[in-house]
């Protein structure tokens, strides 16, 4: 249908009357194919067009994409102007309906493009995790202790607290807010060089190992395009570490029995020295012990979480029980008088003592007087031994050496120290932890330590064995 000669037949009064009369449903024609039609409780402007290909009459709604495209928001004058524009397009060979459909498709394509760009930006932002955010992700997945589906444990006993402290102190100040994907080998080595220059060689190596693990984790998840530390070795950081071989000789253990009471350490710390020697436990396991895991009646100490992720139960010799008896005498309580759950609680009483705190107590008593540190023990050389400086971990090595000297087999010693069997086949098929042989080994070790102490010139802090059994 084309435009007729008769145009502009309606008035505003006609429109108002049409809207008020609910019985009037037929559309009003203004001429030239322009109509006002009632639809969906409203009135809308339409243009009656003829489909060029078929000659069929079609209704073309005007202002279709305008939320205010209805009457009276769109006045009669607005409708006539829009109708004139559409007829002009028609005269130029354009189909208004096709143009509108094309506009709809173009706007939809633009919306899809904007959504895709937004998705790309979000994905890019997700991948551009900062080093701090990447560490949090890695620690949550890899460092936090949890149990696998097969029952084995993974993660670190401390949940990554030690590594987090080192990163917070050494890595984050320089690289914490840098996108992990943009970190280069030069960036990392610059930080590690500062640690090495400060003489913290082992710390530099620990940081390097942790960073390499973290970047491997990030690479497998496409957070970084490559691991910038793939070809970096300890030689580029703190250097190759010499494995410690320090073992306390028999005479040194006897000397230690006399030296400890004079070193003015906390009685719990003194007991910790003998406990490590008597059990071969790691210093972190000793410092983190809880009374709930110590069974003095059954003479066992259970370690549910260990460095290698394998639970371990230690048989307590009479000598080891004596140390726990000493510790029980010095057990602290909270402000309500309830005994604290930790064998070695920290000063705040809200957790176990820091491993470093114990190590510092030993180190502060093995230095020349002129190297005494401020606000530290004045007994600077009270624990110095002829064989040189010794650490808490050397006590664990000494325990293993004493067992070997007593004729105990290496595989039983490995079980006593909770070493993981190197052979995967043996680890898979040999499940017997040989508890009876472990018990005999620990008892023999305890008797050996008691013999050293009994031959000492002065009384040590060890509680009498009868008292330990009674406890």
């Amino acid at each position: 249908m084309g435009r007729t000669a008769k145009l502009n037949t309606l008035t505003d009064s006609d429109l108002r009357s049409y809207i008020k009369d609910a019985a009037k449903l037929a559309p009003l024609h203004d001429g030239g194919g322009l109509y006002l039609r009632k639809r969906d409780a409203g009135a809308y402007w339409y243009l009656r067009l003829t489909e060029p290909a078929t000659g069929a009459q079609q209704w073309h709604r005007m202002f279709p994409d305008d939320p205010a495209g209805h009457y009276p928001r769109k006045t009669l004058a607005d409708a006539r102007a829009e109708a004139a524009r559409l007829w002009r397009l028609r005269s130029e060979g354009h189909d208004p309906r096709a143009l509108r459909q094309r506009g709809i498709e173009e706007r939809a394509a633009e919306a899809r493009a904007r959504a895709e760009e937004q998705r790309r930006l979000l994905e890019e932002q997700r991948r551009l995790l900062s080093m701090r955010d990447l560490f949090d992700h890695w620690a949550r997945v890899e460092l936090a202790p949890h149990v696998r589906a097969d029952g084995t444990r993974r993660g670190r006993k401390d949940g990554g607290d030690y590594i987090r402290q080192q990163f917070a102190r050494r890595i984050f100040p320089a690289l914490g807010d840098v996108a992990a994907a943009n970190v280069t080998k030069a960036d990392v080595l610059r930080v590690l060089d500062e640690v090495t220059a400060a003489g913290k060689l082992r710390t530099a190596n620990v940081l390097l190992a942790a960073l390499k693990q973290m970047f491997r984790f990030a690479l497998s998840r496409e957070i970084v395009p490559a691991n910038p530390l793939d070809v970096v070795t300890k030689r580029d950081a703190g250097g190759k570490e010499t494995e410690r071989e320090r073992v306390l000789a028999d005479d040194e253990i006897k000397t230690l029995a006399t030296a400890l009471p004079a070193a003015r350490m906390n009685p719990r710390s003194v007991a910790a020295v003998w406990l490590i020697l008597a059990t071969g436990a790691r210093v972190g396991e000793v410092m983190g012990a809880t009374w709930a895991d110590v069974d003095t009646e059954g003479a066992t100490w259970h370690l549910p979480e260990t460095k290698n992720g394998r639970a371990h139960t230690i048989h307590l010799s009479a000598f080891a029980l004596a140390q726990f008896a000493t510790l029980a005498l010095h057990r602290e309580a909270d402000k309500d008088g309830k005994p604290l759950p930790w064998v070695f609680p920290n000063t705040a009483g809200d957790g176990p003592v820091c491993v470093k705190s114990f190590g510092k107590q030993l180190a502060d008593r093995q230095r020349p007087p002129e190297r005494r540190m401020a606000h530290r023990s004045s007994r600077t050389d009270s624990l110095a031994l002829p064989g040189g400086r010794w650490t808490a971990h050397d006590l664990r090595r000494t325990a293993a050496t004493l067992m070997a000297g007593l004729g105990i087999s290496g595989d039983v010693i490995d079980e006593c120290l909770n070493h993981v069997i190197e052979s995967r086949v043996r680890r898979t098929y040999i499940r017997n932890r040989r508890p009876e042989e472990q018990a005999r080994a620990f008892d023999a070790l305890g008797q050996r330590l008691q013999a050293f102490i009994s031959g000492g010139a002065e009384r040590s802090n060890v509680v009498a064995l009868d008292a330990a059994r009674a406890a």
Side-chain angles (χ1 to χ4, degrees), residues 156-388:
R156 305 191 183 189
K157 184 178 179 181
D158 67 349
D161 285 346
Y162 173 72
I163 293 297
R164 184 183 297 277
Q165 292 168 10
Q166 292 300 319
F167 269 58
R169 184 177 180 184
R170 317 280 184 180
I171 304 298
F172 293 157
L175 301 175
D177 297 325
V178 179
N182 296 334
V183 172
T184 66
K185 178 173 68 173
D187 293 330
V188 177
L189 288 180
R190 190 178 303 112
V191 176
L192 295 182
D193 285 348
E194 291 298 320
V195 180
T196 301
K200 306 292 185 179
L201 306 185
R202 185 177 183 279
T203 300
N205 286 340
V206 169
L207 287 171
L208 173 61
L211 284 163
K212 293 181 76 168
Q213 292 175 28
M214 187 178 78
F215 275 115
R216 280 197 295 270
F217 171 85
L219 181 61
S220 68
R221 286 156 178 78
E222 297 185 345
I223 297 172
V224 298
N227 185 343
L229 303 178
D230 265 343
V231 297
V232 179
T233 65
K234 287 183 178 179
R235 183 173 54 188
D236 302 305
K240 185 177 179 180
E241 297 177 29
T242 302
E243 185 174 342
R244 284 185 62 84
E245 299 179 351
R246 179 75 165 97
V247 173
L248 274 63
D250 294 357
D251 288 341
E252 289 184 307
I253 299 175
K254 295 176 183 178
T255 300
L256 195 61
T258 302
L260 282 169
R264 291 187 181 176
M265 285 202 305
N266 186 298
R268 286 198 300 267
S269 298
V270 176
V273 171
W274 295 115
L275 195 57
I276 296 174
L277 279 170
T279 63
R282 297 176 177 88
V283 61
E285 295 165 348
V286 173
M287 293 297 107
T290 62
W291 285 108
D293 293 324
V294 179
D295 179 5
T296 54
E297 292 294 329
T300 60
W301 171 26
H302 182 63
L303 303 176
E305 295 181 2
T306 65
K307 181 180 179 180
N308 59 31
R310 184 174 70 160
H312 182 45
T313 298
I314 295 175
H315 167 77
L316 298 176
S317 64
F319 184 85
L321 283 170
Q323 310 316 312
F324 277 112
T326 296
L327 291 164
L329 291 175
H330 296 278
R331 188 173 182 180
E332 294 185 359
D334 60 20
K335 61 182 181 180
D336 297 322
K338 183 179 179 181
L340 294 174
W342 303 281
V343 177
F344 298 93
N346 60 26
T347 54
D350 58 3
V353 71
C354 174
V355 172
K356 286 189 174 181
S357 174
F358 178 62
K360 287 177 181 177
Q361 290 184 58
L362 301 181
D364 287 344
R365 291 164 174 80
Q366 299 180 67
R367 62 176 79 246
E370 64 272 14
R371 293 187 57 193
R372 178 192 176 189
M373 300 182 70
H375 310 297
R376 298 285 184 86
S377 174
S378 61
R379 301 297 178 106
T380 54
D381 59 355
S382 56
L383 295 183
L385 297 175

Side-chain angles (χ1 to χ4, degrees), residues 312-313 412 415-416 433-442:
H312 182 45
T313 298
V412 173
E415 291 294 353
C416 288
R433 299 289 299 274
R434 303 164 76 171
E436 295 83 5
E437 293 181 62
Q438 286 192 56
R440 287 194 290 270
F442 280 124

